[in-house]
């Protein structure tokens, strides 16, 4: 394989995005002489899954050694790259609080002719596509879409939306504020919802387009 390439794993919650990306990295490790570097933002650590392990662990089981980087300083990724590192995986790209900085990092890696794999959610809990995801989808060499199943009892539709609940009630949209954590964190709980069962939260802009500057 030759770079530059940008491979994107996007979609909804609990869709197997990270698991598929990790399996691909393991396949590359087994079949090539090139090392693999894997990165994860610190705010994406999930209690009981990734916490304290120094590894990227998917819910479906596959795991791989990973380097934690500050979510507000994606340049740490470049600082940990060495010359032989042809393959790079960045997990939970939407969790970085500096999307413009992450875009610059990815462009630097592509300029160095590396093969970059990136995992990201498609939209936030207000059904707005993350700025970094818009960039990734427009720049990608390959796009793999992964959605879990809707959490509504009896529904088997793809859960392409994330519904945020606070104390069991659908939470209002707070201007794109990023709530960190896993599916459940204290009084907050995320649930995958399909097109039928997703309810647009109050204060959300809906599905209208907007200009996003990275």
């Amino acid at each position: 394989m030759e770079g530059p390439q940008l491979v994107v794993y996007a979609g909804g919650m609990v869709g197997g995005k990270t698991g598929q990306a990790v399996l691909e990295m393991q396949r590359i490790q087994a079949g090539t002489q090139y090392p693999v570097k894997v990165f994860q933002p610190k705010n994406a650590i999930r209690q009981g899954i990734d916490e304290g392990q120094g590894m990227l662990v998917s819910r479906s089981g596959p795991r791989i050694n990973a380097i934690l980087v500050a979510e507000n300083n994606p340049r740490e990724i470049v600082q940990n790259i060495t010359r032989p590192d042809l393959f790079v995986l960045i997990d939970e790209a939407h969790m970085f609080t500096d999307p413009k900085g992450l875009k610059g990092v990815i462009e630097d890696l592509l300029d160095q002719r590396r093969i970059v794999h990136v995992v990201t959610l498609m939209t936030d809990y207000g059904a707005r596509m993350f700025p970094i995801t818009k960039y990734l989808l427009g720049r990608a060499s390959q796009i793999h879409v992964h959605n879990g199943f809707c959490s509504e009892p009896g529904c088997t539709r793809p859960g392409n939306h994330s519904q945020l609940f606070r104390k069991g009630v659908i939470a209002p949209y707070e201007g794109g504020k990023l709530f960190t954590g896993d599916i459940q964190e204290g009084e907050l709980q995320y649930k995958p919802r399909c097109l039928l069962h997703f309810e647009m939260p109050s204060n959300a802009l809906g599905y209208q387009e907007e200009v996003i500057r990275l």
Side-chain angles (χ1 to χ4, degrees), residues 148-212:
F149 292 102
C150 179
S151 61
E152 191 69 15
C155 183
T156 58
R157 299 178 184 87
N160 56 305
H161 286 295
S162 299
Q163 191 88 67
L164 177 62
F165 293 82
R166 181 178 279 111
K167 295 182 178 179
V169 178
I170 293 176
Y173 191 63
E174 298 186 30
K177 182 178 178 181
L178 182 64
F179 291 100
T180 62
D182 196 19
I183 295 176
Q184 188 167 350
E185 182 181 280
E187 66 177 19
L188 296 177
Q189 184 179 20
Y190 289 93
K191 293 183 179 182
R193 286 286 179 88
C194 67
L195 289 173
L196 177 64
H197 292 115
F198 175 75
E199 295 184 37
M200 189 67 68
S202 59
N203 302 328
L205 296 174
Y207 305 106
Q208 52 190 307
E209 286 295 322
E210 62 180 334
V211 174
I212 299 219

Side-chain angles (χ1 to χ4, degrees), residues 8 11 27 31 39 57-58 61 80 104 107 135 142 154 161 165 171 188:
V8 176
R27 186 182 72 85
F39 298 93
V57 183
S58 68
N80 281 279
E107 287 297 324
Y135 155 74
Q142 299 178 43
H161 286 295
F165 293 82
L188 296 177

